[in-house]
């Protein structure tokens, strides 16, 4: 459903993303892990069309993101780490606005009412977003991205700023969306959460995707019984990313 | 260490930070210089023209000087109140407040920049001082003294604005929003400008005599002291010294009072205001109408039904497709987790209906309908404008200024009206650029929403065009109606004005949009900091809009000459059949507008494409 091939991005002399290739199946929940500055956000932005790659291609479904950006973007949803919302709109108005941007038929945003309830936003749905807390803005940003029924959803640190209940609701909702066929890529630092809910994970370090697969697959490749946290720390530790050192 | 020295250090550090934040290249500096030069030339034109129009009459000259003194003072007060508010309340003081520094020091550091800016505003009054001196044939010694006096008056008004903001902070037991302050300051400034005129309303119909402003009531208005001092100075009178001493006293008293208030309460107020944000947020959330989840869901389902019904009507879909929709809608009522799947199916079914819209009439209707995305962008921005009174009141000053001139007694019309054309153009240009120029910048980092959604360039530009044209168009029409109501213009002239607005405003907006795109500052909005919507580059719109309006005014003049109370002889323009003149004038104006709209639209799309290439390459908004 989402394919990236040999993605490469340079900012001046700095290589932010180096030859990243990955493919996500329909209904898959993919965890995108890596230390700060590893290039996760840049890769996600390349895959949402918010950055132009120096080289490499991205396909969303059958649409090439570079050649058919409009068709590809219709299938995409992206929730960045800092919520993108209009503070002078109410929650409902924002969702209606997003529905109109995707040119959905009038009334299509009604689907969002369920998520307003699920995310405890019903009481605040008619208040200006300026009065929302960071977590509430994060939730309304997510609802705004779900309203056009994307096929692929990319979330960059979505649980930052969410209270425990909100974080659990989000996790459950994401799992449920995947079960219903939505493909999700989630970038997170919460390794236990990634271990618990993701079908596969990818680990980035210094702009390169150094490992990807299910956790048992990674354990097999690197011949270890260590959990995801140990795997992550060993892989992203300088000079110790080579599996041969571990055996 | 004394508070003054501490404040001085803070100012120096903040200046270093500002210098590194707003870096400018040499080309931009040169362009900035050219722009400032043009601004001052325009200001000179606007202020000098009336002096030369009424150079024969000392009374008319003095009246204009009083009016400008009052208007300039009111405008400076308005601007400085907002500036002081930005510096004292909006600018992040958290770091300073955590240090062992008292409120007085913070206040002194914050207001220092405000006083520096008052000198810039004073510079804008230089052409006025020079023109008045030349028209009054004064001695050479007048000029340096008058400039010093101008600076002193600017500083006094800045000090007054500071004390008003400080008093508001202390008196109001709530957080002062920028919008609230903008409304208060504009109403205050408008009252200062209009009230003296209203007090002497009985004399409105009389010719300007130079005696109008001499009433005792006007002596107490500090905003009049500049004109009084200048008039006295041109005659070599020592009365100017009295006004200078008075101004110094008012400045000193205002500063002392502000610092006294600041020392006592600024620290406490700023800290409390930070806390109040949370309290207000909780209060607003509690006040929001509670909705039962079940009720909301049912209402939502009704809306979905309605939407599907609407889809059915024009397209006449096949029975099979309708059955699919009905099945999907039935499933929508299924509980819990199936909602996502079922609504998705419903919408898939709706999407599959698209090819059924096939009749010629439907195709034409679809083609000529304004796309939903365009309407949504326009509506979103209009809602924002409505909820940001601070931006809306920016129309108030130009309106007052124009009305003031347009409501002059008929005896001063004629030649002086023609002389005021540059001034009108300046005001119109500034007003027409107000909303469009910030239309892209107000998006801030939310601009990514458009970039990640399937919105085409044309739809985005269309949405912004729609949004930018509507407020200015309404302003234009309202102004025309006001003129008609107040009988300052004949009804046919009002008609010409109103009709011209239909294309003049959208075309002027279109010409402004490329500069709005180019100068947009897509920066993250930060709580506790002043939002910057546009860079200085956007100000260059004046260079295009001013000549455009000049050409348009020539075309409009051809149409409106038959309705003006003028006895000018301008060849075929004032002779012959008025109907043809109106038709030709309006026709040329319309053609110009179409051409300008086309050019503006093309340049906007190109500017946007360049902008997104930059954004997509850099990935940064800053």
């Amino acid at each position: 459903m989402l394919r990236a091939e040999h993605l490469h991005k340079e900012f001046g002399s700095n290589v932010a993303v180096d030859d990243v290739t990955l493919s996500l199946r329909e209904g898959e929940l993919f965890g995108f892990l890596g230390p700060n500055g590893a290039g996760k956000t840049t890769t996600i932005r390349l895959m949402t069309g918010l950055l132009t790659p120096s080289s490499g291609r991205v396909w969303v479904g059958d649409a090439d993101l570079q050649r058919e950006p409009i068709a590809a973007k219709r299938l995409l949803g992206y929730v960045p780490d800092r919520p993108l919302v209009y503070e002078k709109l109410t929650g409902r108005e924002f969702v209606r606005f997003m529905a109109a941007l995707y040119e959905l038929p009038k009334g299509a945003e009604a689907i969002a009412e369920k998520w307003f309830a699920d995310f405890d936003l019903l009481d605040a749905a008619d208040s200006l977003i300026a009065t929302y807390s960071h977590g509430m803005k994060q939730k309304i940003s997510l609802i705004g991205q779900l309203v056009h029924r994307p096929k692929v959803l990319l979330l960059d640190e979505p649980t930052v700023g969410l209270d425990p209940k909100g974080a659990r609701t989000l996790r459950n909702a994401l799992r449920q969306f995947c079960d219903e066929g939505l493909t999700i890529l989630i970038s997170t630092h919460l390794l236990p959460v990634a271990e618990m809910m993701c079908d596969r994970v990818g680990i980035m370090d210094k702009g390169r995707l150094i490992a990807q697969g299910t956790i048992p697959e990674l354990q097999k490749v690197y011949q270890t019984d260590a959990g995801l946290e140990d795997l992550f720390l060993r892989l992203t530790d300088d000079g110790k990313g080579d599996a041969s050192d571990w055996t | 260490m004394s508070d003054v020295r501490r404040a001085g250090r803070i100012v120096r550090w903040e200046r270093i930070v500002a210098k590194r934040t707003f870096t400018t290249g040499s080309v931009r500096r040169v362009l900035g210089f050219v722009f400032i030069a043009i601004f001052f030339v325009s200001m000179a034109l606007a202020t000098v023209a009336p002096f030369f129009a009424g150079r024969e009459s000392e009374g008319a000259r003095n009246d204009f000087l009083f009016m400008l003194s009052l208007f300039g003072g009111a405008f400076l007060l308005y601007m400085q109140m907002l500036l002081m508010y930005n510096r004292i309340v909006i600018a992040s003081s958290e770091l300073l407040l955590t240090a062992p520094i008292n409120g007085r020091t913070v206040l002194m550091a914050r207001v220092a920049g405000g006083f520096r800016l008052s000198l810039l505003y004073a510079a804008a009054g230089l052409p006025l001082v020079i023109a008045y001196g030349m028209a009054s044939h004064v001695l050479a010694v007048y000029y340096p003294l008058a400039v010093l006096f101008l600076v002193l008056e600017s500083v006094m008004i800045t000090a007054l604005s500071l004390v008003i903001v400080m008093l508001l902070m202390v008196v109001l037991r709530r957080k002062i929003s920028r919008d609230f302050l903008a409304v208060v300051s504009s109403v205050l400034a408008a009252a200062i400008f209009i009230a003296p005129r209203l007090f002497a309303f009985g004399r409105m119909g009389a010719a300007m005599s130079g005696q109008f402003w001499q009433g005792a009531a006007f002596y107490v208005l500090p905003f009049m002291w500049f004109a009084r001092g200048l008039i006295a100075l041109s005659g070599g009178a020592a009365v100017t010294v009295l006004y200078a001493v008075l101004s110094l006293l008012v400045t000193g008293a205002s500063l002392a009072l502000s610092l006294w208030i600041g020392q006592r309460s600024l620290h406490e107020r700023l800290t409390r205001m930070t806390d109040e944000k949370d309290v207000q947020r909780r209060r607003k959330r509690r006040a929001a109408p509670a909705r039962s989840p079940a009720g909301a869901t049912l209402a939502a389902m009704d809306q979905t039904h309605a939407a599907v019904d609407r889809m059915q009507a024009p397209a006449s879909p096949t029975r099979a497709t309708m059955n699919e929709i009905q099945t999907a809608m039935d499933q929508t009522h299924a509980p819990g987790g199936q909602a996502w799947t079922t609504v998705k199916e419903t919408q898939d079914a709706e999407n599959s209906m698209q090819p059924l819209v096939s009749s010629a009439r439907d195709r034409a209707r679809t083609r000529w309908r304004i796309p939903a995305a365009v309407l949504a962008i326009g509506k979103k921005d209009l809602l924002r404008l409505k909820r940001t009174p601070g931006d809306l009141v920016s129309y108030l000053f130009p309106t007052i200024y124009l009305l003031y001139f347009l409501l002059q007694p008929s005896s001063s019309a004629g030649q002086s009206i023609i002389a005021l054309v540059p001034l009108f153009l300046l005001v119109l240009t500034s007003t027409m650029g107000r909303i469009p120029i910030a239309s892209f910048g107000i998006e801030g980092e939310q601009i990514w929403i458009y970039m990640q959604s399937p919105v085409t360039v044309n739809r985005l530009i269309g949405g912004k065009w729609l949004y930018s044209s509507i407020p200015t168009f309404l302003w234009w029409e309202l102004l025309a109606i006001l003129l008609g109501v107040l009988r300052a213009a004949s009804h046919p002239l009002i008609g010409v004005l109103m009709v011209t607005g239909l294309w003049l405003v959208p075309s002027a907006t279109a010409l402004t949009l490329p500069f709005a795109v180019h100068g947009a500052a897509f920066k993250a909005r930060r709580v506790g900091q002043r939002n910057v919507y546009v860079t200085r580059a956007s100000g260059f719109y004046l260079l295009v809009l001013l000549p455009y309006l000049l050409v348009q005014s020539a075309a409009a003049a051809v149409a409106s000459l038959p309705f003006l109370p003028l006895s000018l002889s301008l060849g075929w323009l004032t002779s012959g059949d008025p109907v043809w003149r109106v038709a030709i004038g309006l026709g040329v104006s319309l053609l110009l507008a179409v051409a300008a709209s086309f050019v503006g639209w093309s340049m906007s799309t190109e500017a946007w494409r360049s902008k997104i290439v930059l954004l997509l390459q850099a990935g940064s908004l800053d």
Side-chain angles (χ1 to χ4, degrees), chain A residues 73 86 106 131 149 180, chain B residues 281 307 337 340 347 443 451:
Chain A
K73 285 176 182 180
Y86 290 102
K106 231 176 180 179
T131 64
R149 302 176 298 115
E180 291 164 4
Chain B
R281 190 160 53 211
W340 167 263
Q347 292 185 354
E443 294 291 344
M451 294 173 70

Side-chain angles (χ1 to χ4, degrees), chain B residues 8-343:
Chain B
R9 283 189 173 185
I10 295 170
V11 170
R12 273 198 299 279
W13 277 109
E14 288 189 337
R15 209 177 291 166
I16 291 170
V17 173
K19 211 177 273 179
R20 288 176 188 169
T21 311
F22 305 105
T23 48
T24 46
S26 52
V27 175
R28 188 159 283 188
R29 228 172 282 159
V30 170
L31 284 173
F33 177 77
V34 171
F35 172 71
I36 289 170
I38 289 174
F39 173 75
F40 276 104
V41 169
S42 309
M43 285 297 294
L45 268 175
T47 50
V48 169
F51 278 114
F52 286 103
R55 61 183 175 276
E56 301 305 325
S57 156
E58 188 188 347
R61 274 202 315 269
N62 289 350
D63 272 335
F64 187 68
L65 184 64
F66 275 121
M67 193 278 297
L68 272 188
S69 171
L70 205 56
F71 184 80
F75 183 70
L76 184 57
L77 185 85
Y78 162 78
M79 292 299 291
Q80 290 289 37
M81 275 178 74
L82 292 179
L83 184 80
M84 289 299 176
Y85 168 79
N86 282 330
R87 287 182 166 270
I88 298 167
V89 181
I90 293 288
S92 176
S93 302
E94 280 178 18
L95 191 65
L96 297 178
L97 291 171
T98 53
I101 302 172
N102 63 26
R104 186 179 138 103
T105 309
V106 176
L107 182 65
M108 279 196 282
R110 289 273 177 251
V111 301
F115 281 94
R116 274 205 311 275
L117 266 181
S118 69
L119 300 181
L120 186 71
Y121 286 115
L126 279 179
L128 165 76
V129 169
I130 295 167
Y132 182 77
M134 286 171 69
S136 306
H137 309 292
V138 294
L139 299 172
V141 72
Y142 156 91
Y143 292 101
L145 289 175
V147 170
L148 277 177
F149 192 58
L150 175 67
V151 170
L152 180 60
E153 295 304 297
S154 300
V155 170
M156 178 188 71
I157 290 169
T158 305
L160 279 174
S161 66
L162 174 65
V163 78
I164 293 171
V165 170
M166 294 304 293
L167 285 171
L168 279 174
M169 271 179 64
V170 172
V171 170
L172 295 175
R173 307 303 301 169
R174 58 187 286 273
K175 177 179 165 277
I176 310 171
S177 72
R178 190 178 184 277
D179 291 333
F180 174 77
L181 193 81
V183 173
V184 168
S185 54
S186 57
V187 168
L188 185 66
I192 290 167
F193 187 54
I194 293 287
R197 189 79 176 161
L198 291 179
F199 280 131
F201 197 74
R203 301 187 62 127
M204 280 272 288
M208 290 298 190
S209 63
Q211 303 300 310
F212 168 61
W213 306 100
Q214 303 295 320
F218 301 143
Y219 277 91
V220 293
L221 261 183
F223 307 94
M224 305 282 273
W225 295 349
F226 173 62
R228 292 189 187 287
L230 218 58
I231 291 166
L233 194 63
S234 66
V239 180
T240 311
V241 178
L242 175 68
Y243 284 114
V245 171
L246 263 175
S247 304
L248 276 173
L249 283 174
V250 169
T251 308
S254 303
L255 275 176
L257 183 60
S258 304
L259 290 176
W260 182 71
I261 295 170
Q263 189 170 15
R264 290 172 63 87
S265 62
L266 187 70
H267 196 290
E268 182 201 349
R269 277 303 283 160
L270 285 179
T271 320
R272 199 191 308 155
M273 275 190 278
T274 314
D275 297 340
E276 278 176 5
K277 277 178 195 163
D278 295 331
V279 176
Q280 273 194 332
R281 190 160 53 211
R282 281 197 290 274
R283 202 179 298 145
K284 275 186 186 172
R285 215 174 295 150
R286 266 203 305 275
R291 286 167 175 242
S292 73
T297 311
L298 282 177
M301 291 303 124
D302 287 346
Q303 284 178 31
T304 313
H305 275 299
V308 174
D309 288 345
R310 275 194 295 278
M311 294 290 292
Q312 289 169 1
S316 306
T318 61
R319 197 66 243 168
T321 315
M322 292 315 303
N323 287 340
E324 281 174 27
I325 294 168
Q326 195 52 56
T327 313
M329 291 311 301
D330 291 342
Q331 287 171 1
T332 309
H333 292 286
Q338 288 186 14
W340 167 263
T341 319
T342 48
V343 176

Side-chain angles (χ1 to χ4, degrees), chain B residues 23 106 265 307 404 425-426 509 542 593:
Chain B
T23 48
V106 176
S265 62
Y404 189 92
L425 281 174
L426 200 67
T509 304
L542 284 174

